[in-house]
Amino acid sequence: AHLILLLTGLALVTVGCEDDDHDHDHDEEGHTDAEGFVLKGEDGVEVYREFEGDNSNGSITLTAGTTLELSVHFLDHDEEEIEHEEEEEEEGEDHEDGLEVSGFDSNVATVEVEEHEEGGDDHAHGEHEMAIEVMGVAAGETSFQLRLMHEGHADYTSSILVPVIVN
């Protein structure tokens, strides 16, 4: 009798866990499975890339007193850009989604998140472009960490601190 009760309980727990995993994969709209990211200048030229923990092209370099606006594009497991669409938000709904940056020395440079909407008047279905603004304060070196947030947790966190050099 104890063995039957134990096996029945184990079967219920196993089925319950499988259902939770299944629901997690398909019911969480907006979850991003990123493996890296690219920072591009206003001209569309790639400035910085991180993929699977590897930085392939150095650092962000700018001059003190200047500002560099960079669009942020997340990469999937094939190193292709992940397309993000802004979903229609219900009125009064408070979302904690978007980019976060931290760790920079504000005496050298500041890094702020900016969000832009593209796609004209159709705000509900416009493309949601994420961007950061790096402002050179004084000559030196600093770095920052980039996180893509979704409902209070990070869907992606840069595994390498993004280096910033201010001349």
Side-chain angles (χ1 to χ4, degrees):
H2 292 292
L3 183 59
I4 291 173
L5 182 60
L6 179 64
L7 291 176
T8 303
L10 186 59
L12 290 174
V13 168
T14 303
V15 170
C17 289
E18 286 175 6
D19 287 345
D20 287 346
D21 289 343
H22 180 76
D23 290 345
H24 176 78
D25 290 341
H26 297 286
D27 290 345
E28 283 193 31
E29 294 295 322
H31 175 76
T32 303
D33 188 20
E35 297 293 329
F37 67 97
V38 175
L39 301 177
K40 294 183 180 181
E42 292 179 281
D43 56 2
V45 174
E46 185 175 304
V47 173
Y48 182 87
R49 174 182 292 257
E50 177 184 308
F51 183 69
E52 295 182 341
D54 183 35
N55 166 11
S56 61
N57 62 342
S59 61
I60 298 170
T61 304
L62 70 160
T63 305
T66 63
T67 300
L68 185 60
E69 187 170 319
L70 303 169
S71 60
V72 181
H73 306 270
F74 288 92
L75 304 173
D76 65 16
H77 66 279
D78 292 324
E79 210 167 345
E80 298 292 326
E81 288 184 20
I82 298 171
E83 296 297 323
H84 292 280
E85 296 249 339
E86 182 70 13
E87 294 180 23
E88 194 170 331
E89 296 181 15
E90 292 182 26
E91 194 169 322
E93 198 171 324
D94 186 24
H95 289 282
E96 299 175 14
D97 296 352
L99 292 176
E100 282 186 3
V101 292
S102 63
F104 56 87
D105 179 352
S106 61
N107 293 314
V108 175
T110 60
V111 184
E112 294 180 1
V113 174
E114 296 203 346
E115 294 191 18
H116 301 281
E117 297 295 332
E118 292 183 2
D121 295 333
D122 189 9
H123 175 77
H125 299 289
E127 186 178 324
H128 182 70
E129 182 178 295
M130 294 178 269
I132 59 172
E133 191 173 75
V134 182
M135 294 155 281
V137 175
E141 295 183 17
T142 188
S143 59
F144 66 91
Q145 185 174 56
L146 181 71
R147 286 181 303 279
L148 175 61
M149 301 301 292
H150 176 69
E151 296 183 1
H153 70 275
D155 273 358
Y156 178 81
T157 301
S158 60
S159 55
I160 301 171
L161 294 178
V162 180
V164 177
I165 300 170
V166 179
N167 297 315

